[in-house]
Amino acid sequence: FQRLPHILETVGKEGFAKQINLCVPAMSADFSAWLQGILAYMAMVDYPYPASFLKPLPAWPIKEACKFFNQTTYSDDSLIVAMAKLSNLYQNYAHEVKCINTSSFAYQGLGNAGWNYQSCTEMVFPSCNVANTDFFPPSTWDVAAYSKSCHKQYGILPRGDWLTVQYGGRAAGLNLSGHSNIIFSNGKLDPWSAGGVLETSNPDIEVILIEDGAHHLDLRRSHPLDPASVIEARRQERNIIS
């Protein structure tokens, strides 16, 4: 990510777009944001078998992506090749497109635009990247910029405190004393688990952590390649519900 601006300056937007096979030339900041996005999405759907929840992807897509970046040093040219392979893995694993569309993260029919609206209203989810500890470049949570973006897209402003007012949030502690009969299951491979309920002292709440689970893997249909941790999670869920 640090070398991306230099690479685009060296080869030019048009030359870079041709080597990556982009549909439209992109600025370094825009392409960097898209790369961060597809890596986050691949982590989210890091399933142990081929799946097409967001896009057609192979089993363990993060492991496949890491194969493109297994050298200790890279020339600019070899780094461009690695980024091209990563882009193609996410956007064109099924060989269905002619070029890489950096404005797309998922199937249009998935309905993920609904999540964008929800995250601009009730489900505001602050996020940032910390220098020297995160994989991605440093970034801060800018509530003013976020609000401006939401207003531009939907004509609304986020209700940043709605979750806390409605459910108590983390400030109310982890006992969730006002709630019962809920199973909070989180896959440890799922980036969204960072915002999940991972522990509680409330005996009427169940928390299940899935060691090898990505996003809602336990709620997908069973598969011969399911890891033991998700099989056990489903067993626990069935017993709790019954």
Side-chain angles (χ1 to χ4, degrees):
F1 291 107
Q2 291 178 340
R3 290 171 58 185
L4 193 53
H6 164 74
I7 289 174
L8 261 82
E9 183 179 350
T10 302
V11 303
K13 286 197 329 182
E14 297 290 342
F16 182 79
K18 183 176 181 180
Q19 293 186 64
I20 301 291
N21 192 30
L22 301 180
C23 299
V24 178
M27 300 292 289
S28 64
D30 296 332
F31 186 72
S32 176
W34 182 76
L35 275 187
Q36 293 177 60
I38 66 172
L39 285 168
Y41 277 123
M42 278 194 283
M44 183 176 118
V45 295
D46 198 19
Y47 300 134
Y49 47 79
S52 55
F53 175 50
L54 298 176
K55 296 275 190 179
L57 289 170
W60 301 119
I62 286 295
K63 290 182 181 179
E64 294 299 314
C66 287
K67 292 177 182 178
F68 307 140
F69 299 91
N70 59 1
Q71 299 174 208
T72 55
T73 58
Y74 282 85
S75 66
D76 287 351
D77 288 341
S78 61
L79 197 54
I80 291 174
V81 170
M83 287 189 288
K85 290 180 178 179
L86 172 62
S87 302
N88 197 64
L89 173 69
Y90 186 80
Q91 276 276 13
N92 200 28
Y93 179 70
H95 306 290
E96 296 175 339
V97 301
K98 295 181 179 179
C99 59
I100 303 301
N101 179 7
T102 56
S103 65
S104 171
F105 289 101
Y107 283 126
Q108 289 185 346
L110 182 64
N112 60 317
W115 164 250
N116 294 336
Y117 177 81
Q118 192 175 23
S119 65
C120 271
T121 51
E122 299 172 342
M123 294 290 290
V124 178
F125 201 90
S127 61
C128 62
N129 301 325
V130 181
N132 302 322
T133 59
D134 283 3
F135 179 78
F136 296 131
S139 65
T140 58
W141 169 247
D142 188 336
V143 65
Y146 189 78
S147 297
K148 183 178 180 180
S149 174
C150 289
H151 191 268
K152 180 179 180 180
Q153 291 183 75
Y154 305 111
I156 55 176
L157 294 174
R159 296 168 61 189
D161 60 351
W162 182 85
L163 277 176
T164 302
V165 171
Q166 185 73 11
Y167 296 111
R170 294 184 184 275
L174 295 171
N175 63 338
L176 299 171
S177 58
H179 308 279
S180 62
N181 298 326
I182 303 173
I183 300 174
F184 290 102
S185 65
N186 281 280
K188 289 187 175 182
L189 300 182
D190 183 8
W192 289 109
S193 67
V197 175
L198 306 181
E199 57 179 316
T200 180
S201 59
N202 184 342
D204 295 319
I205 298 290
E206 300 288 345
V207 172
I208 299 175
L209 303 181
I210 308 171
E211 189 68 31
D212 300 306
H215 196 60
H216 60 49
L217 177 58
D218 54 324
L219 303 183
R220 294 175 65 87
R221 66 177 61 186
S222 61
H223 191 281
L225 296 178
D226 280 333
S229 58
V230 76
I231 295 173
E232 172 60 18
R234 292 188 185 123
R235 185 194 67 78
Q236 292 180 47
E237 289 163 356
R238 283 193 298 269
N239 289 344
I240 293 166
I241 293 170
S242 60

